[in-house]
Amino acid sequence: MSRSAFVTFLCMVPCLQAEEVIHHWQFTTEHIREGAVKPVVGNLAGKITSPVKFATTEPKALLLPGDSKVQHCIEITSELGKAELPTQALTVEAWVWIDRLQPWGAVVGAFQDNGPYEKGWLLGYEQSRFFFAVSTKGKGRLTYLHAREHFQPGAWYHLVGTYDGKEMRVYVDGRLQARSTEQSGNIEYPPKGWFTVGAYQDNDEFYSMAGQLESVSIRN
């Protein structure tokens, strides 16, 4: 399915309608000025910590160099309590292009995964498989739900992770890839953490993403 056809498809899906969006960012030239990403929906701007460069081909998305040593990413906030992130139900959506496979990669997340201390959620990838991870108060650990199919670097993908309080699901290009009922109840966020785009970031790990980002949305 082409990207334009898929956008039309999304507009017809009730769970992805605009009125449910609480945060939305477009990582294209018209929404970025002097290293800051203006939110399309919500009140949280993003700060780009890498050189601001864009792809020359449509949709001319933000390029991420993937340098973990200098911690390249888009910083949203380090105060999770002020981010108004969903607790009972959550949908995370992104258009992403991955250039380099890596053991731990995140497109967007607000989490901690430090040994047995696992809280929050993230949408990301492990080598060539996308995943959606969630931790709830009853479990106290993250369930990493991996897509069934492998992705290829150097191509656009539409990712969606959903959690409705009873079931997790992960979709790639509109196709359901995996589902799990391992988590239930409210999402449990860490008292200290980062809401980050383009990097896997917690207390003791930082892995930058190499590729392109066109958009990220959070819905409840």
Side-chain angles (χ1 to χ4, degrees):
M1 182 181 292
S2 70
R3 187 180 184 283
S4 59
F6 196 73
V7 169
T8 301
F9 162 77
L10 289 177
C11 294
M12 298 185 291
V13 180
C15 69
L16 296 180
Q17 290 177 354
E19 62 268 26
E20 297 182 332
V21 178
I22 57 174
H23 296 296
H24 177 64
W25 301 271
Q26 289 284 145
F27 300 101
T28 50
T29 54
E30 61 268 33
H31 297 283
I32 296 174
R33 293 289 184 276
E34 298 180 352
V37 184
K38 183 180 179 180
V40 178
V41 178
N43 56 11
L44 295 178
K47 177 184 176 182
I48 303 171
T49 64
S50 57
V52 179
K53 297 181 179 179
F54 299 93
T56 57
T57 57
E58 293 296 336
K60 298 184 179 179
L62 180 67
L63 295 172
L64 294 176
D67 191 338
S68 298
K69 292 183 180 179
V70 295
Q71 299 192 341
H72 284 162
C73 69
I74 299 102
E75 299 175 348
I76 305 300
T77 183
S78 60
E79 298 182 68
L80 297 184
K82 297 181 179 180
E84 299 181 351
L85 295 171
T87 56
Q88 296 180 333
L90 168 73
T91 295
V92 187
E93 177 192 4
W95 278 100
V96 63
W97 168 303
I98 305 296
D99 279 331
R100 183 184 68 227
L101 303 183
Q102 55 196 65
W104 295 107
V107 178
V108 56
F111 70 100
Q112 291 283 1
D113 187 352
N114 311 128
Y117 187 82
E118 303 179 13
K119 300 182 186 298
W121 59 264
L122 66 151
L123 185 66
Y125 54 100
E126 181 181 358
Q127 299 297 0
S128 60
R129 293 170 70 197
F130 293 116
F131 65 71
F132 178 52
V134 171
S135 174
T136 58
K137 292 184 178 180
K139 291 292 182 180
R141 59 182 172 80
L142 287 159
T143 294
Y144 283 83
L145 183 64
H146 288 78
R148 179 180 65 256
E149 298 173 1
H150 295 257
F151 71 85
Q152 297 295 321
W156 282 108
Y157 289 93
H158 180 264
L159 309 183
V160 175
T162 70
Y163 174 68
D164 64 3
K166 297 179 180 179
E167 183 178 65
M168 298 169 57
R169 295 186 182 193
V170 61
Y171 298 82
V172 179
D173 289 345
R175 296 187 295 274
L176 178 62
Q177 289 286 315
R179 62 202 303 175
S180 172
T181 56
E182 188 171 322
Q183 299 285 341
S184 62
N186 286 358
I187 298 170
E188 184 174 22
Y189 289 93
K192 179 184 177 182
W194 297 268
F195 187 14
T196 306
V197 174
Y200 185 104
Q201 181 181 14
D202 61 11
N203 274 351
D204 57 3
E205 297 167 299
F206 196 107
Y207 303 111
S208 295
M209 174 190 136
Q212 300 179 44
L213 271 174
E214 193 269 347
S215 63
V216 168
S217 298
I218 311 294
R219 295 171 166 84
N220 57 22

